[in-house]
Amino acid sequence: MGDHKEQPLRVGAAVRRRRRALSLTLAVVAERSGLSVPFLSQVENDRARPSRSSLEKVADALRTTAVELLAAADPACSVDVVRAEEPESVGAPRMRSLVRGHHQLHASEFTGDHDAGREFQHRNDELMYVADGAVEIEAEGRAYRLVRGDTMYLTGGVRHRWRATVPDTRVVVVAVAEHIEAVQDRHR
């Protein structure tokens, strides 16, 4: 009730916008990509979904990347519900995405232990929320202990690492997507 099944991104409008920005005809894009004009027309009108290979050919013809076209794509629906999954095995570390697709933010849930030796540095801002358990976070040379319900906000560019200190800890991480220019260069 109220759920939408996962809808594919509609890449057609992004392809059309890019083609028009370059003042190219469908015939020129077809020639550069090796794909047919009718197929490209169907893609632009969202009547055909290109394979990954075809999307890369179109992107090359438009002097961009498939990732950039997907980032500029329109979602097929504006509401998407991601249901909780049944854990495959209790106690096993896992990560699951809380937001599907290529959007302006990423949200992930980490359950269980985490590689404490791995250091992160994201270009944009990030928020960590401890849903269950406890974690230790090293950021900017200081150590922080967060427990259930605590949050930590990290400005883009802050080097950090973290580890769970209690079994079955769940941490939700929400970050502005790397492809978004959300922050200017910060001088330290």
Side-chain angles (χ1 to χ4, degrees):
M1 170 172 164
D3 284 356
H4 289 273
K5 291 187 173 154
E6 184 176 0
Q7 298 288 322
L9 292 176
R10 294 183 301 205
V11 73
V15 169
R16 183 182 311 109
R17 283 190 300 269
R18 178 69 181 171
R19 178 179 62 79
R20 287 180 178 169
L22 296 172
S23 300
L24 299 176
T25 64
L26 279 173
V28 170
V29 176
E31 183 179 320
R32 288 182 180 179
S33 67
L35 301 170
S36 71
V37 171
F39 175 70
L40 292 171
S41 176
Q42 289 178 340
V43 168
E44 284 193 1
N45 291 300
D46 290 314
R47 285 183 271 147
R49 286 184 50 202
S51 66
R52 180 184 265 321
S53 172
S54 293
L55 185 59
E56 288 172 1
K57 289 176 183 178
V58 170
D60 288 344
L62 296 173
R63 297 185 184 110
T64 188
T65 65
V67 171
E68 289 298 318
L69 288 175
L70 288 170
D74 299 325
C77 66
S78 60
V79 175
D80 187 22
V81 175
V82 178
R83 295 285 181 201
E85 302 169 352
E86 292 296 319
E88 292 158 10
S89 59
V90 178
R94 68 184 186 108
M95 188 280 290
R96 73 179 181 108
S97 181
L98 301 175
V99 177
R100 287 186 275 241
H102 198 71
H103 298 288
Q104 293 184 4
L105 65 84
H106 294 290
S108 300
E109 176 186 65
F110 295 88
T111 304
D113 202 4
H114 183 69
D115 180 5
R118 184 169 177 207
E119 185 176 68
F120 298 94
Q121 182 180 25
H122 304 289
R123 189 170 88 195
N124 294 323
D125 297 352
E126 175 179 318
L127 176 86
M128 296 179 74
Y129 171 73
V130 180
D132 284 310
V135 297
E136 284 182 357
I137 302 171
E138 267 183 53
E140 294 294 293
R142 291 187 55 196
Y144 302 87
R145 179 169 166 74
L146 277 65
V147 297
R148 183 179 181 203
D150 290 346
T151 62
M152 175 177 275
Y153 180 83
L154 300 158
T155 303
V158 171
R159 291 183 183 278
H160 61 284
R161 71 179 90 228
W162 64 276
R163 70 180 185 91
T165 59
V166 174
D168 297 324
T169 291
R170 284 188 317 128
V171 176
V172 175
V173 177
V174 179
V176 176
E178 292 292 319
H179 70 276
I180 303 295
E181 292 290 336
V183 296
Q184 297 176 344
D185 289 334
R186 291 189 167 92
H187 302 289
R188 295 191 175 235

